[in-house]
Amino acid sequence: MQKPSFDPGLTQQFGAPLRRAINKDGGFNVRKVRGEWRDFHPYFELVNMNWAGFFGVVLAFYVVVNLLFAGVYYAIGTQNLEGASAPTAFGRFMNVFFFSSHTLSTVGYGNIAPKSIEANIVASFEALVGVLGLAVATGLLFGRVSRPSARIGFSHHVLIAPYQDSTALEFRAVNRRANTLIECEARVMLMTVEMEGSIPRRKFEFLKLEREKILFLATPWTIVHPIDSESPLFGKTTKDLAQMQAELLISIKAFDDTFSQAVQQRYSYRHDEFIWGRRFAPAFHVGKEGDLVIELDKIGELA
């Protein structure tokens, strides 16, 4: 029986060149289409989207709900609301819209109040919707801010630099936040496209690192892969890596001492982000008070 070849979950099948396998934000370059409505989970979407999108959705939901209830109040008649009268239809609608926003948020200034059974029923139901909506929004906000996540920065380029008596592949990683990351482990994998007979296939190989683990990610960590005779990069040139569509896939796991949970960060470098024959410039120095000062803007600076 033929031994199965290694596939980390990014498929060995090659249909066309990828922009990259892992995007700069750590997400996979994968887009899912033609799913079912049950595949969509609002909580996951709202927790994972960026902050601008999250607040945009919350604001849009708030406006839409108020418009719907304002439409109901307007339909049953503004005469059922004390203080909602106005000389124009637009003025009356704006009055019921703001009354809806007061009721939904349970503020209730008292300048407009329901005075009929119908208006009181709608207002009572809207108050319930407001309380439940506030609870959901608070839970989503807490879920976003309390979720542990890594903010590990990487150098803009990966270097093929002189190393001892040979060369090595090098890149830098640094914890950009004030939290403490301990028990850090790095895994680096080279993805290439190679021919198997007449069929192009993706190939994945782990690179042996000089140091796979460190106890503390307190200072910039230069991750080094010595390029020896056993390295898949041995004897390769810039042109070779471009032809193989080489991409370096990186995964760093660590334990966040603040949240007491494990965190992970992914990153990648394409073949056109390799620089040959250069070294990294120093990115930290000892301050006047005897502490180490890390200059985050110099993590990827070259000497």
Side-chain angles (χ1 to χ4, degrees), residues 80-92:
N80 293 292
L81 296 174
E82 185 71 35
S85 61
T88 64
F90 178 75
R92 291 191 295 273

Side-chain angles (χ1 to χ4, degrees), residues 16-274:
L18 280 175
R19 181 175 67 248
R20 62 190 319 129
I22 296 179
N23 297 318
K24 287 297 184 181
D25 61 0
F28 295 106
N29 184 27
V30 176
R31 181 165 51 92
K32 300 175 182 177
V33 297
R34 299 189 183 92
E36 298 179 358
W37 66 269
R38 289 174 295 183
D39 300 329
F40 177 80
H41 198 295
Y43 179 82
F44 293 146
E45 296 293 333
L46 290 169
V47 167
N48 290 320
M49 70 172 49
N50 58 47
W51 282 104
F54 174 75
F55 284 117
V57 170
V58 172
L59 179 61
F61 179 80
Y62 180 77
V63 172
V64 169
V65 171
N66 278 306
L67 286 173
L68 290 175
F69 277 102
V72 174
Y73 291 125
Y74 194 84
I76 65 177
T78 55
Q79 68 275 9
N80 293 292
L81 296 174
E82 185 71 35
S85 61
T88 64
F90 178 75
R92 291 191 295 273
F93 184 81
M94 292 306 297
N95 283 338
V96 295
F97 177 83
F98 289 123
F99 171 70
S100 172
S101 66
H102 300 163
T103 305
L104 189 70
S105 60
T106 68
V107 173
Y109 291 116
N111 58 328
I112 302 177
K115 63 177 184 180
S116 69
I117 294 296
E118 296 87 345
N120 275 287
I121 291 175
V122 177
S124 298
F125 180 70
E126 184 176 11
L128 176 62
V129 172
V131 171
L132 294 178
L134 180 62
V136 172
T138 303
L140 288 169
L141 187 61
F142 178 78
R144 291 178 64 89
V145 300
S146 64
R147 183 183 60 172
S149 62
R151 175 67 171 150
I152 298 176
F154 294 86
S155 55
H156 297 302
H157 299 90
V158 59
L159 307 184
I160 305 293
Y163 174 79
Q164 297 181 358
D165 297 329
S166 183
T167 58
L169 177 145
E170 302 177 1
F171 62 91
R172 274 180 175 170
V174 65
N175 180 17
R176 300 187 64 91
R177 291 180 176 164
N179 60 331
T180 301
L181 297 181
I182 61 176
E183 300 291 344
C184 302
E185 179 182 359
R187 303 189 76 184
V188 180
M189 185 167 49
L190 180 67
M191 183 183 76
T192 57
V193 176
E194 300 182 13
M195 299 298 294
E196 289 187 4
S198 59
I199 301 175
R201 297 184 68 85
R202 291 191 179 92
K203 184 179 180 182
F204 302 90
E205 295 179 87
F206 281 107
L207 300 186
K208 184 178 180 181
L209 303 180
E210 177 192 52
R211 187 178 295 109
E212 294 183 352
K213 298 180 180 180
I214 58 174
L215 288 178
F216 318 110
L217 189 56
T219 59
W221 180 15
T222 301
I223 300 173
V224 178
H225 162 65
I227 301 178
D228 53 23
S229 58
E230 297 181 358
S231 170
L233 293 172
F234 184 74
K236 297 295 189 297
T237 65
T238 303
K239 184 178 180 180
D240 294 332
L241 296 180
Q243 287 178 342
M244 295 189 299
Q245 302 177 40
E247 182 175 349
L248 205 63
L249 310 179
I250 300 156
S251 173
I252 294 182
K253 293 189 297 183
F255 186 82
D256 189 331
D257 195 44
T258 302
F259 290 96
S260 296
Q261 292 189 34
V263 294
Q264 185 184 49
Q265 183 83 34
R266 295 178 297 273
Y267 201 75
S268 79
Y269 295 98
R270 277 173 44 90
H271 57 83
D272 53 3
E273 294 169 322
F274 285 45

